[in-house]
């Protein structure tokens, strides 16, 4: 009997859980259980029921009992039997509507008509075919142990590929033993500060992602804002009380300037002399349009820099993979925080990305997207010159976004107009540290990589409609 | 010039970051930078350098300058030029050995000869081909927005597939709006308790995973152990002060008994009358060998149960996907903890699992593994009967592990003998809540699913060697 059940279950049918209870006969109990399963929505319309023989074995009933119960439910209209296609749940047998109201669902997924919010690459350009080819090679060649509990450092294949790539393309001094895989930049921050590997106070840039500031606040890390100017963060403001500094040296986020070479040197000097650490957020370092990307600060002082990157901008935020290149002395500490087994980064994505890098697909994808985004950037700046010459775009040498500088006092109205017009775009104020003391500038942060190609022109038109008009008044800065 | 760089970079070669600096000429600077890149290990032996034309465009140098620099480095032995295969880094140009010593690496990855530790399926049985087929269909048919920022609820395709599957196979009342995807059971615990959606005190089973207890301790959740007997957790010990209870009703972990039907009813009564919540850890509910799996408690009271599951046992712990079926009133709270965007579960795994379930591959895989694991269980119990008849295996009706009951006082010596003999296996003591008051029993928790098929017999032999011998003494319970 036991033999029968498991063998039959293996050969035919699918699992179907049914509770048979009550004082009535087995056929009545089965009918009741099936009816209840359909009524409650557990069995959805169109679902094919197991063959008599399979369900009979599963439930330890006679095959006739199943056949009779099915027949009764066909008669009642719950099921439909068709020659050759078995017995299925009838279409009319709809479950009651789910508890959540349509409004609630709508509130959760507001979709603007045009999306120029920064922070994501063009989702329609994800390299599906080469990614799949890498997945095929990765799944075929992976050793069996890859499907066991994961090493919290990440797969060795990926750490080696990343170490090579980051050294070659970003000037990072990485050896695979110091690369630790995670699920993205935010996860890295959580591991570094939530796990007490690093402690505050932490200097940050006066403009940055509010999401990162709130992650740090959750971990009870006090942050001190450094002013940001055309040379990037003013690292000369770093004081002795600060233990670490979080910077975006390749492309200050969101203002878009690279950290000045002298400041790169002086922040490294500060770290070496004070024992401080630099957290280098290299979020879009690959995307520079007019000349070679600026290399990582990490190359100057691997022992004083935690280098952080991810595939969020280069591939997709939907692939949850990031990496930390750690100073040697912190590797064991961060691994202790991650725990004995990998709990976050999926191994198939890890193996696939390793192959994607090694096979050259990653380079090809980045170069292709670099061209595409540069064309968009050029179209954005050309459109502004032509149709809104009073608005300057800054931070356009690199990255996936530009900052449109607005006349003083006009940002809030422009953002409000955008909201009304179905255009998702953020003002600079959304990125400003609440304790920043530098003068506030008005501006819009325009993520020109976000829309698919076919929607880009319409998004630009929408943007132009919400920009403040050119007026020669005293409010003109 | 800008045009040249980005166009050329697109068409040929790969990215190579080099800093050219210093007062000397450009050729000297390039030679220095390449030499330094090789010496430091950034460019590894065998790496192919970009063609002259590509690197010239990248660096804004004349093509001849590149050709001369390459030639000099070939002359110095750093590079090797071969007709038709370009210029590569020479094999002899090895970087210095990495800082981490071999001992440290070895310490981190201790590999026992035989592994009977519970908690993982046979890694060699991962269904690579059907998974890849699902990935192909998923990647081909996914809408573009799937590659944008992820919905913290998880992909709708996966939530629908899970809701159908869990209803059909596990008796869960799930609608997709109440399914929230996460990266595994531990992540679910972190979201529920770290994010203050649920608060303590929490009742737990006196035997369970120490890892889960420490996660709860990190979130400052006090836990109270319930005794466990042959009917599962003694839920009658639940008091008013407790707000929630974490249970493994289908298969108590690790003792292996299902929660008695009367206790299923009474824990639901407790939750309904006290406003308490049941956390149902359905970690291996699919694997039951002699009759139909026990359905989820959640089906009895969807508003009072948080149902938790993952693919860790059914597919692989290397795929970081789990799910929570939430009571309606807690859905918004858990989503607020997850944040605006999905930061954990990768979208390709999510879409692939959705297809894997919908296409029937998941059912087929589980049924195949159920047969395979049952054969192993049968071999384990038959071997004990034959060669160690004084040792009873319990909890063998379901799951991926068995508990071998040992004579009182012999567990510690058996575990120590296992360690000495290269057999990874845990004693019951490792799972006991430190505040448990029920009598302690001696035993080994044997994960018979863990080894690959070809290694299973040898692991069994190793196990038999460390079992306490049969002695007719007073210590024979």
């Amino acid at each position: 009997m036991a033999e029968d059940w498991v063998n039959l279950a293996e050969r035919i049918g699918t699992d179907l859980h049914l509770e048979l209870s009550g004082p009535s006969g087995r056929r009545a109990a089965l009918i009741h259980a099936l009816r209840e399963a359909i009524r409650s929505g557990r069995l959805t319309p169109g679902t094919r029921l197991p063959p008599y023989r399979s369900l009979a074995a599963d439930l330890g009933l006679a095959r006739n009992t199943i056949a009779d119960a099915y027949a009764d439910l066909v008669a009642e209209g719950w099921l439909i039997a068709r020659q050759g296609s078995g017995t299925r749940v009838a279409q009319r047998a709809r479950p009651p509507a789910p508890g959540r109201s349509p409004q609630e669902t709508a509130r959760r997924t507001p979709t603007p008509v045009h999306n120029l919010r920064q922070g994501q690459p063009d989702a329609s350009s994800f390299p599906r075919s080469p990614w799949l080819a890498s997945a095929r090679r990765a799944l075929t060649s992976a050793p069996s142990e890859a499907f066991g509990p994961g090493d919290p450092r990440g797969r060795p294949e990926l750490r080696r590929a990343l170490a090579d790539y980051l050294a070659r393309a970003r000037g990072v001094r990485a050896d695979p033993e110091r690369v630790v895989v995670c699920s993205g930049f935010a996860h890295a921050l959580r591991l570094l500060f939530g796990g007490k590997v690093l402690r505050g106070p932490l200097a940050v840039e006066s403009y940055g992602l509010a999401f990162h500031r709130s992650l740090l606040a959750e971990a009870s890390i006090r942050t001190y804002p450094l002013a940001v100017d055309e040379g990037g963060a003013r690292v000369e403001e770093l004081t002795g009380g600060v233990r670490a500094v979080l910077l975006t040296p390749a492309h200050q986020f969101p203002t878009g300037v690279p950290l000045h070479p002298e400041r790169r040197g002086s922040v490294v000097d500060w770290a070496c002399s004070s024992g401080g650490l630099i957290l280098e957020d290299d979020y879009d370092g690959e995307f520079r349009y007019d000349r070679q990307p600026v290399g990582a600060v990490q190359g100057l002082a691997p022992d004083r820099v935690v280098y952080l990157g991810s595939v969020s901008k280069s591939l997709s935020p939907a692939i949850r993979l990031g990496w930390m290149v750690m100073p040697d002395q912190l590797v064991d500490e961060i691994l202790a925080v991650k725990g004995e087994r990998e709990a976050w980064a999926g191994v198939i994505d890890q193996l696939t990305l390793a192959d994607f890098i090694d096979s050259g697909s990653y380079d090809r994808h980045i170069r292709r997207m670099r061209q595409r985004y540069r064309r968009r950037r050029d179209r954005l700046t050309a459109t502004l010159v032509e149709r809104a010459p009073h608005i300057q775009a800054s931070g356009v040498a690199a990255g996936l976004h530009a900052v449109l500088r607005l006349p003083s006092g006009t940002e809030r109205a422009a953002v409000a107009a955008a909201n009304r017009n179905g255009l998702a775009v953020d003002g600079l104020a959304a990125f400003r540290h609440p304790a920043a003391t530098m003068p506030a500038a008005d501006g819009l942060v325009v993520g020109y990589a976000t829309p698919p190609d076919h929607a880009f022109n319409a998004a630009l038109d929408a943007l132009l409609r919400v920009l403040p008009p050119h007026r020669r008044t005293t409010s003109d800065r």
Side-chain angles (χ1 to χ4, degrees), chain A:
Chain A
M1 166 65 219
E3 194 65 32
D4 283 347
W5 177 72
V6 79
N7 281 332
L8 265 176
E10 154 69 11
R11 262 183 286 131
I12 41 173
T14 53
D15 274 7
L16 171 67
H17 178 78
L18 292 172
E19 294 278 0
L20 302 192
S21 56
S24 48
R26 300 184 136 214
R27 177 170 128 191
L30 175 60
I31 289 173
H32 176 78
L34 282 170
R35 213 190 275 126
E36 168 59 18
I38 297 167
R39 188 186 280 139
S40 68
R42 280 177 48 209
L43 284 173
T44 52
T47 300
R48 185 176 181 158
L49 293 185
Y52 304 153
R53 175 167 87 137
S54 167
L55 191 62
D58 274 19
L59 299 174
L61 298 179
R63 212 184 291 180
N64 278 348
T65 310
I66 311 291
D68 291 348
Y70 280 21
D72 284 1
L73 289 166
V74 169
E76 287 180 22
W78 293 97
L79 301 179
I80 288 177
R82 276 221 192 77
Q83 200 67 34
S85 81
T87 307
R88 291 174 186 272
V89 177
Q91 285 301 327
R92 81 179 68 91
R94 294 225 165 269
R100 193 163 301 279
S101 70
Q103 291 97 311
E104 279 181 294
T105 307
R107 174 173 60 71
R108 284 206 192 146
T109 52
T111 308
V113 184
H114 309 290
N115 193 350
L116 291 176
R117 194 157 271 149
Q118 58 69 40
Q120 52 169 310
D122 174 6
S124 70
S125 296
F126 183 80
R128 302 186 191 209
S129 298
W131 186 266
L132 186 62
S134 286
R136 182 182 306 113
R137 286 190 294 266
L139 271 168
T140 308
S141 65
S144 284
E145 51 86 13
F147 300 98
D151 184 328
R153 286 178 293 188
R155 285 299 302 176
E157 296 90 338
L158 178 59
R159 291 185 287 116
R160 198 197 35 67
L162 283 171
D164 287 354
Y165 173 79
L166 296 173
R168 171 166 62 73
R170 303 293 305 124
V172 171
R173 297 201 202 201
D175 84 73
E177 292 288 309
R178 296 191 292 109
V179 176
V180 177
V181 172
C182 59
S183 85
F185 181 82
H187 187 209
L189 272 194
R190 286 184 170 106
L191 292 169
L192 289 166
F193 289 100
K196 309 292 180 209
V197 175
L198 304 185
R199 284 156 207 275
L202 173 72
V204 298
E205 296 164 328
S206 283
Y207 284 83
L209 269 189
F211 172 54
H212 296 167
R213 286 194 297 268
S214 61
L215 279 182
L216 292 164
E218 274 172 34
S220 308
I221 301 296
R222 271 203 302 180
T223 57
Y224 292 98
L226 303 174
V228 169
D229 60 21
E230 63 288 345
R234 292 178 58 88
V235 294
E236 54 270 39
E237 293 176 3
L238 283 168
T239 62
V242 159
R243 298 207 193 187
V245 56
L246 173 59
L247 296 173
T248 49
H251 187 228
Q252 202 282 325
F253 183 85
T255 66
V257 293
L259 189 63
H260 191 278
E262 271 175 28
R263 290 186 183 167
R264 291 165 71 95
S266 59
V267 71
V268 167
D269 290 345
W270 165 83
C272 292
S273 64
S274 72
L277 275 174
I278 301 165
L279 307 187
E280 180 170 24
D281 177 6
D282 198 27
Y283 67 104
D284 66 0
E286 298 91 346
F287 292 106
R288 191 167 179 89
Y289 303 115
D290 303 317
R291 56 187 182 82
Q292 198 193 21
V294 181
V297 169
Q298 193 266 5
L300 300 174
D303 282 346
R304 306 266 27 109
V305 178
V306 175
Y307 174 88
L308 303 164
S310 81
V311 299
S312 286
K313 309 290 183 292
S314 59
L315 275 171
S316 163
I319 295 188
R320 302 309 311 160
L321 283 181
W323 45 85
M324 309 183 258
V325 183
M326 300 297 295
D328 200 50
Q329 70 274 16
L330 296 179
V331 173
D332 286 338
E333 288 183 54
I334 202 79
L335 291 177
V337 174
K338 280 201 80 181
E340 207 179 321
R341 296 171 166 201
E342 176 63 51
W344 316 106
V347 79
I348 296 179
D349 280 348
Q350 289 190 58
L351 293 171
T352 303
L353 179 60
D355 182 276
F356 200 74
I357 294 172
D358 287 343
S359 64
S361 292
Y362 193 67
D363 280 88
R364 277 189 292 278
H365 177 68
I366 284 173
R367 285 164 179 258
R368 187 166 67 93
M369 296 314 292
R370 211 187 261 149
Q371 280 208 315
R372 187 171 299 188
Y373 294 147
R374 194 184 58 161
R375 281 198 296 271
R376 292 195 186 185
R377 179 204 64 170
D378 292 347
R379 207 180 313 162
L380 168 67
T381 52
T383 305
L384 288 174
V385 166
E386 188 189 330
R387 292 165 62 186
H390 59 298
I391 306 288
Q392 300 292 319
S394 67
V396 294
L400 310 184
H401 68 273
V403 176
L404 307 198
R405 300 289 177 174
L406 300 186
S408 181
T410 64
E411 176 184 312
R412 187 189 290 252
V415 172
N419 284 343
R420 281 196 308 276
N421 285 272
L423 168 65
V425 69
D426 294 306
L428 267 178
F431 300 92
R432 185 177 167 89
H433 194 290
T437 53
M438 63 177 285
D442 282 50
L444 293 180
V445 179
V446 174
Y448 52 78
T450 306
D453 267 343
H454 66 81
F456 186 59
N457 282 344
L460 276 192
D461 288 342
L463 176 66
L464 283 159
R465 284 196 293 275
V466 305
L467 292 177
H470 189 42
R471 287 178 309 179
R472 297 205 167 274
T473 69
T474 48
S475 80
D476 251 14
R477 45 163 309 163

